[in-house]
Amino acid sequence: MGNLVNLTTLRMSGNKFSGTIPDDITGLKKLQRLWLNNNRLSGILPITLGNLTLLNELYLYNNKLQGTIPSSIENCQNLLLLDLSQNNLTGIIPKQLFAVSMLSIGLGLAQNFFLGSLPSEVGNLVHLYELDLSKNKLSGKIPSSLASCTSLEYLYLEGNLFQGEIPTSLSSSRGIQVMDLSRNNFSSQIPNFLEKLSLKNLNLSFNDFQGEVPTKGVFANASAISLIGNSRLCGGISELNLPRCLVKEEKKIKWPFSVKVVISMACVILVITIVSFFLFYWRKNKRNDNSSKSSLKQSFLRVSYQMLLKATDGFSLANLIGVGSFGSVYKGILGDDRSIVAIKVLNIQRQGASRSFVSECEALKNIRHRNLVKIITCCSSMDFHGNDFRALVYEFMPNGSLENWLHMDLETNIMQVEIRNLNILQRTNIAIDVACALDYLHHHCPMLVVHCDKKPRNILFDCDMIAHVGDFGLAKFLLRLTDLKESSSIGIRGTIGYTPPEYGLGSEVSTKGDVYSYGILLLEMITGKRPTDSVFEGGLNLHNYASMAVPDGVMEVVDPKLLNNVDEVLGSHNGCLANKIKECLISMVKVGVACSMELAQERWDISKAISELHLVRDIILGARI
């Protein structure tokens, strides 16, 4: 291929080519159009891609490409169109991409796994006609510099983690015709300037917009807009069927001057009285309640020992649903709305319990994710005997823990959950849920959090069998180097079998330690064997056991219960689909082995594991269809 030095156009799209993109292609210096889309190409983008300085069009969409966009892309200064959609590309979008100021026809990066924020350098693409970043994991706010893309007519940002307001700078983007911001975390009011744009279609669904919906421009056509999934909106045109905004219009009344003076004086006296009362009450509480300060924000529900005692019927055994490292967990009914909650009561006498309480409060007060157990409030008080009392109140998970579903007998099932065998699709979904929670803790939450205790007992299921990671009692926050040094002095952190080997040698906690625990957890889900199983003795462990089975012996180490219900997932199809299931199981074992390597630097990043597991799930779902 590299001998075709005078080639200007190469179109090989819509075939079944596999393997990597040959590096020789980047030696075709006269190449202007390269179409390799709709194939099965894998591997990374060539690092020397920037050698194609005359390239105008690059179509690589709908392949299986991995890795990041090489920074050499900035050398392709004649590029008019770039489409990398529907691949497995990861990492941040490099700023060098936006140095290609000639990009004008379109930039497509949709349906990948790009992370981080959208760089402000996107404003350099002043001639860009279409920008499609949908269905990635991009976060942060839309940069105001996007308004500099004055030729932009199509903007697709749906299915990401963008937040904040729609920037007012976009009011100057009069050429935009289609804007899709759905399935993000945008909030505040819908800005009125959107009425004045040339929009023909606007999708703001499944965000957290609130307040009154505009009625002019695109908002005057109900078929041109989508606002579903924003429960706090009101007003708008009647076809939207939104509730009326509660705005009270009062008639203007002309009050006599003397009446105005009396009312003003009464208001001043009332304010002084309220402030005085507040100061008196605050000082009294400050003197008497220093022992019950909480590290959580006051917006959280305030509960007392007596309330929790009543909610659990005196912490009765009938309400006991679990026993952990630092305490017991009870089912409770709390508040006037009689919400069902899980109450974790710490055993203060246990060494490290107080530190666990503080760690868990700090970890959970500022982080939110669909795959993390939601904390409702905490209680730091005294019981009726004058002893210190510490408790955490969580959202109740009615389907128990992964430990229950993998190992527990009916006789020892404390929560009395109807335990059934987890099929391969369920186990894949659980693996993805847990990995997404780790990815959030490591890359996207306000502070970098290392969980330190990943194990089946800490993976809980809601009513839809969505997995939630809980128990942050050993969590560490890697904000400063001093945090790392302090954590290295407390010995082995976590649970035997799931703790990475370097922790036993005194190494500092890291995200790689969590990845190791995740790898062991995934292998346990596939093999059905705990890492502490009696079969593992001498030099054999769960990692080696699974590694030696790849690829030909995987079916011999797979949990028999998992194989028994393959038909439940696929239905009564012919045997050729069994090969696809075998392929999926081999891939999942490979992911578990790659994440649980003995040397930390050899372990995968959790985002790569997510990418591989998504491919596995796609194969399973395709087999079902």
Side-chain angles (χ1 to χ4, degrees):
M1 189 73 74
N3 295 330
L4 306 176
V5 292
N6 292 311
L7 197 65
T8 60
T9 299
L10 177 58
R11 294 184 178 176
M12 305 179 75
S13 56
N15 286 286
K16 296 182 180 180
F17 290 118
S18 59
T20 60
I21 300 174
D23 290 335
D24 287 354
I25 286 183
T26 63
L28 307 180
K29 299 296 181 64
K30 295 185 180 181
L31 203 60
Q32 297 177 22
R33 290 171 292 278
L34 177 58
W35 294 23
L36 299 176
N37 53 288
N38 292 317
N39 281 291
R40 299 174 181 175
L41 297 172
S42 57
I44 64 173
L45 293 170
I47 298 175
T48 54
L49 189 62
N51 291 347
L52 303 176
T53 56
L54 298 181
L55 200 63
N56 297 142
E57 300 174 7
L58 178 57
Y59 288 95
L60 295 175
Y61 65 87
N62 196 17
N63 279 290
K64 298 180 179 181
L65 298 171
Q66 301 172 339
T68 59
I69 300 176
S71 58
S72 65
I73 192 73
E74 68 177 325
N75 297 326
C76 303
Q77 285 298 315
N78 290 297
L79 201 59
L80 301 175
L81 186 147
L82 174 64
D83 196 340
L84 303 176
S85 302
Q86 300 178 56
N87 280 286
N88 298 313
L89 299 172
T90 58
I92 62 174
I93 301 176
K95 297 179 180 179
Q96 291 86 345
L97 174 59
F98 303 111
V100 186
S101 57
M102 289 295 291
L103 272 173
S104 55
I105 299 176
L107 173 60
L109 303 178
Q111 297 185 51
N112 281 285
F113 298 94
F114 290 114
L115 307 168
S117 59
L118 177 59
S120 59
E121 285 77 6
V122 68
N124 295 336
L125 306 182
V126 294
H127 305 295
L128 191 64
Y129 176 75
E130 179 177 336
L131 176 62
D132 189 354
L133 304 176
S134 58
K135 298 180 182 178
N136 280 283
K137 295 185 177 181
L138 298 172
S139 57
K141 297 183 178 181
I142 298 178
S144 58
S145 58
L146 185 62
S148 300
C149 302
T150 51
S151 300
L152 194 64
E153 293 190 18
Y154 294 87
L155 177 62
Y156 302 100
L157 301 179
E158 73 269 18
N160 281 285
L161 302 170
F162 287 114
Q163 59 187 18
E165 304 175 355
I166 300 176
T168 55
S169 60
L170 289 181
S171 60
S172 61
S173 302
R174 298 300 176 92
I176 291 186
Q177 296 187 29
V178 176
M179 183 187 295
D180 193 339
L181 306 181
S182 61
R183 300 184 184 279
N184 279 283
N185 297 317
F186 290 111
S187 57
S188 76
Q189 285 190 302
I190 298 175
N192 288 323
F193 70 75
L194 294 177
E195 293 178 322
K196 302 176 183 178
L197 302 184
S198 304
L199 287 166
K200 295 180 180 178
N201 190 282
L202 175 64
N203 191 344
L204 302 178
S205 58
F206 297 102
N207 282 284
D208 191 26
F209 289 109
Q210 57 185 287
E212 188 169 7
V213 176
T215 56
K216 299 178 182 177
V218 68
F219 296 98
N221 183 359
S223 63
I225 59 174
S226 179
L227 302 174
I228 61 173
N230 294 278
S231 59
R232 297 196 284 174
L233 289 177
C234 63
I237 59 176
S238 58
E239 290 88 341
L240 296 177
N241 296 317
L242 294 174
R244 295 180 61 184
C245 297
L246 301 177
V247 178
K248 296 181 179 179
E249 296 183 359
E250 297 182 358
K251 295 182 179 180
K252 294 183 179 180
I253 302 175
K254 295 184 178 180
W255 297 95
F257 177 76
S258 57
V259 175
K260 291 181 180 179
V261 172
V262 172
I263 292 176
S264 299
M265 292 182 65
C267 290
V268 170
I269 294 172
L270 180 62
V271 169
I272 293 174
T273 303
I274 292 174
V275 170
S276 300
F277 177 79
F278 173 78
L279 290 174
F280 171 78
Y281 183 77
W282 176 75
R283 288 174 181 172
K284 180 179 178 181
N285 277 342
K286 188 176 181 180
R287 288 194 303 268
N288 298 333
D289 210 21
N290 283 334
S291 62
S292 60
K293 290 181 180 178
S294 172
S295 62
L296 292 180
K297 297 178 181 178
Q298 290 193 5
S299 59
F300 286 79
L301 176 68
R302 301 191 66 170
V303 295
S304 64
Y305 169 78
Q306 184 175 4
M307 291 172 65
L308 298 183
L309 186 71
K310 180 180 179 181
T312 59
D313 194 18
F315 302 113
S316 67
L317 288 176
N319 287 320
L320 181 67
I321 57 177
V323 179
S325 303
F326 296 111
S328 303
V329 183
Y330 297 86
K331 179 180 178 181
I333 300 177
L334 193 63
D336 294 332
D337 58 352
R338 299 188 62 76
S339 299
I340 300 177
V341 296
I343 303 170
K344 179 180 178 180
V345 179
L346 277 78
N347 180 7
I348 301 300
Q349 308 303 319
R350 174 74 182 270
Q351 184 178 1
S354 294
R355 179 186 293 184
S356 169
F357 176 79
V358 173
S359 293
E360 198 143 7
C361 288
E362 289 297 325
L364 293 170
K365 72 176 181 179
N366 288 321
I367 59 179
R368 292 289 185 273
H369 191 272
R370 71 186 292 270
N371 297 123
L372 296 179
V373 176
K374 180 182 178 182
I375 189 170
I376 297 174
T377 188
C378 74
C379 178
S380 177
S381 183
M382 291 186 177
D383 63 19
F384 293 153
H385 301 288
N387 301 315
D388 287 337
F389 177 82
R390 303 285 186 275
L392 295 152
V393 182
Y394 297 96
E395 184 179 21
F396 182 69
M397 295 285 116
N399 274 318
S401 70
L402 182 58
E403 175 79 7
N404 294 97
W405 288 81
L406 289 179
H407 305 297
M408 195 162 288
D409 299 325
L410 294 177
E411 290 77 16
T412 56
N413 182 8
I414 298 178
M415 291 191 64
Q416 298 181 349
V417 176
E418 183 186 352
I419 303 297
R420 302 178 303 278
N421 292 335
L422 295 170
N423 60 45
I424 186 171
L425 179 58
Q426 288 174 314
R427 299 191 196 207
T428 306
N429 285 332
I430 294 166
I432 292 174
D433 287 344
V434 176
C436 286
L438 270 187
D439 184 53
Y440 170 79
L441 294 174
H442 292 176
H443 300 296
H444 304 297
C445 70
M447 64 181 79
L448 193 161
V449 179
V450 181
H451 186 277
C452 294
D453 198 17
K454 191 74 64 193
K455 58 184 178 181
R457 191 181 298 276
N458 293 337
I459 311 301
L460 305 174
F461 301 115
D462 62 18
C463 57
D464 296 317
M465 285 302 289
I466 294 174
H468 299 254
V469 176
D471 201 343
F472 285 74
L474 298 178
K476 294 294 173 185
F477 320 102
L478 306 190
L479 292 175
R480 304 175 301 278
L481 290 177
T482 52
D483 289 332
L484 291 172
K485 293 175 181 177
E486 177 191 352
S487 64
S488 64
S489 64
I490 64 172
I492 297 178
R493 292 157 294 279
T495 302
I496 294 175
Y498 304 92
T499 304
E502 66 267 21
Y503 286 8
L505 301 175
S507 295
E508 300 163 347
V509 296
S510 70
T511 55
K512 292 293 186 182
D514 273 358
V515 172
Y516 177 91
S517 302
Y518 174 78
I520 297 298
L521 177 73
L522 180 56
L523 294 177
E524 183 176 357
M525 289 172 60
I526 301 302
T527 65
K529 294 186 181 296
R530 292 187 176 95
T532 55
D533 195 287
S534 59
V535 72
F536 303 128
E537 54 185 13
L540 185 65
N541 56 34
L542 181 54
H543 169 86
N544 297 337
Y545 176 75
S547 179
M548 291 186 295
V550 175
D552 298 329
V554 164
M555 302 305 288
E556 297 176 11
V557 301
V558 169
D559 183 0
K561 292 184 292 186
L562 191 156
L563 295 176
N564 290 340
N565 55 19
V566 167
D567 289 340
E568 178 187 333
V569 183
L570 300 181
S572 55
H573 292 76
N574 57 47
C576 70
L577 293 182
N579 291 330
K580 289 192 175 184
I581 296 302
K582 181 179 179 180
E583 178 186 348
C584 292
L585 291 170
I586 292 173
S587 296
M588 293 179 75
V589 171
K590 285 182 177 178
V591 172
V593 169
C595 289
S596 59
M597 297 294 287
E598 183 172 358
L599 297 179
Q601 61 269 26
E602 294 181 359
R603 296 170 198 154
W604 281 7
D605 185 88
I606 196 64
S607 59
K608 185 176 181 181
I610 294 173
S611 176
E612 288 294 318
L613 291 171
H614 273 290
L615 292 176
V616 170
R617 183 164 64 182
D618 289 345
I619 293 173
I620 296 172
L621 293 175
R624 292 183 73 185
I625 294 171

